[in-house]
Amino acid sequence: MFRNVVAGLGVSFVLGFAIPAAAVSSESAAPLVSPGRLPDPPAGHTEVQNIFDVAVAAVEQRWVTSLGFAAHYGFGGSQKFRMGFGVRYSTFWAGRSIPFSTADYALADSNQVSTLQMSNTQTHSINAVLHVRYDVHPGWQLGMNFDLIGFGFGPPQVGQYTSSDPALSGPQQARASAFNLFLGGSRNRGQLLSEFYFAHWPSAQWGLRVGYSAFVSEVRTDVPRDFGSSRYRAWSDLFFVGASYRL
């Protein structure tokens, strides 16, 4: 699944593009500027691009909508490689019942896992985001981003908990986990979104993005269940389309 390769893609992306791009020096002749590319900045100058993004992702009656802003900083003479930092608001909701499994890493690693079946799930998050991208051709980009830290919220919801102990089985109220933190894989906490995409800029201000995204939604029960667990998580791999506006 996409979530299992996001970290590997990020390392490959940075090693494959960041190091070569940072080593490229600017040429004395001014390059031609395509419709989707701004003029190269003067040598020694770091260009900052402020970009708004909006995206909609979906798969099997699961949806994620997001709205974000980030400042992207160029590196190297050509500044084809860029890193950015920003903030993103995301909403996840499901139109059908989906299973949330034990999110605590120590319990999951020891196979002490239980399931909370949730219907009509809805969670929200506001997170700080890291962006990485590379201009593979004027007006065309390859990029990725992932939520780092923030907070989650959402309305109380009732799920169906299943346990080997009949006394613990039955309806269980839960709500979105309040703290989000990217730690990598199963150690993540809360509501986190990652994207891997291609982008095309038909003009200097407007861009289109398509790609895959991974979203983890986490809820916390009001009362601890089996093994003392109160955190339950659902992973979703989705296809997304988005638009970007460069100030």
Side-chain angles (χ1 to χ4, degrees):
M1 298 178 74
F2 178 68
R3 62 177 182 270
N4 296 322
V5 299
V6 167
L9 287 173
V11 172
S12 299
F13 189 91
V14 172
L15 292 180
F17 293 117
I19 296 176
V24 175
S25 60
S26 60
E27 299 181 4
S28 57
L32 296 177
V33 179
S34 71
R37 177 182 170 185
L38 296 179
D40 288 339
H45 174 75
T46 298
E47 181 193 13
V48 180
Q49 295 180 356
N50 297 312
I51 297 177
F52 284 97
D53 289 305
V54 61
V56 177
V59 66
E60 297 178 347
Q61 298 186 49
R62 303 187 195 190
W63 296 271
V64 174
T65 58
S66 62
L67 175 66
F69 171 80
H72 296 248
Y73 298 84
F75 293 88
S78 66
Q79 302 205 19
K80 291 183 177 181
F81 172 74
R82 294 182 178 275
M83 292 187 67
F85 298 92
V87 62
R88 175 162 57 198
Y89 167 73
S90 302
T91 296
F92 168 83
W93 72 95
R96 63 183 181 88
S97 178
I98 59 175
F100 282 67
S101 58
T102 300
D104 184 278
Y105 176 77
L107 294 176
D109 191 52
S110 60
N111 203 31
Q112 294 178 304
V113 178
S114 52
T115 300
L116 181 65
Q117 197 76 21
M118 301 289 292
S119 299
N120 301 317
T121 307
Q122 185 178 56
T123 63
H124 308 269
S125 62
I126 298 177
N127 292 315
V129 188
L130 172 65
H131 295 258
V132 180
R133 82 170 204 249
Y134 185 77
D135 294 339
V136 295
H137 188 75
W140 295 89
Q141 299 165 352
L142 175 66
M144 67 179 301
N145 58 66
F146 52 91
D147 291 346
L148 295 175
I149 188 171
F151 62 93
F153 56 98
Q157 302 156 72
V158 176
Q160 185 67 29
Y161 185 78
T162 302
S163 171
S164 57
D165 182 353
L168 296 177
S169 297
Q172 176 62 52
Q173 181 169 281
R175 65 191 70 231
S177 294
F179 178 59
N180 308 328
L181 180 63
F182 178 85
L183 295 171
S186 298
R187 292 180 172 83
N188 289 337
R189 300 180 68 93
Q191 335 297 320
L192 298 169
L193 174 63
S194 301
E195 295 177 338
F196 183 77
Y197 64 88
F198 285 101
H200 174 55
W201 292 79
S203 73
Q205 276 69 48
W206 289 99
L208 301 174
R209 298 187 303 133
V210 295
Y212 287 96
S213 62
F215 190 86
V216 55
S217 180
E218 185 181 286
V219 298
R220 182 181 292 270
T221 58
D222 293 345
V223 179
R225 301 287 86 187
D226 287 308
F227 318 115
S229 176
S230 60
R231 294 170 47 229
Y232 295 85
R233 172 190 299 148
W235 291 89
S236 300
D237 297 324
L238 311 100
F239 173 78
F240 83 91
V241 295
S244 301
Y245 179 74
R246 183 160 53 199
L247 297 179

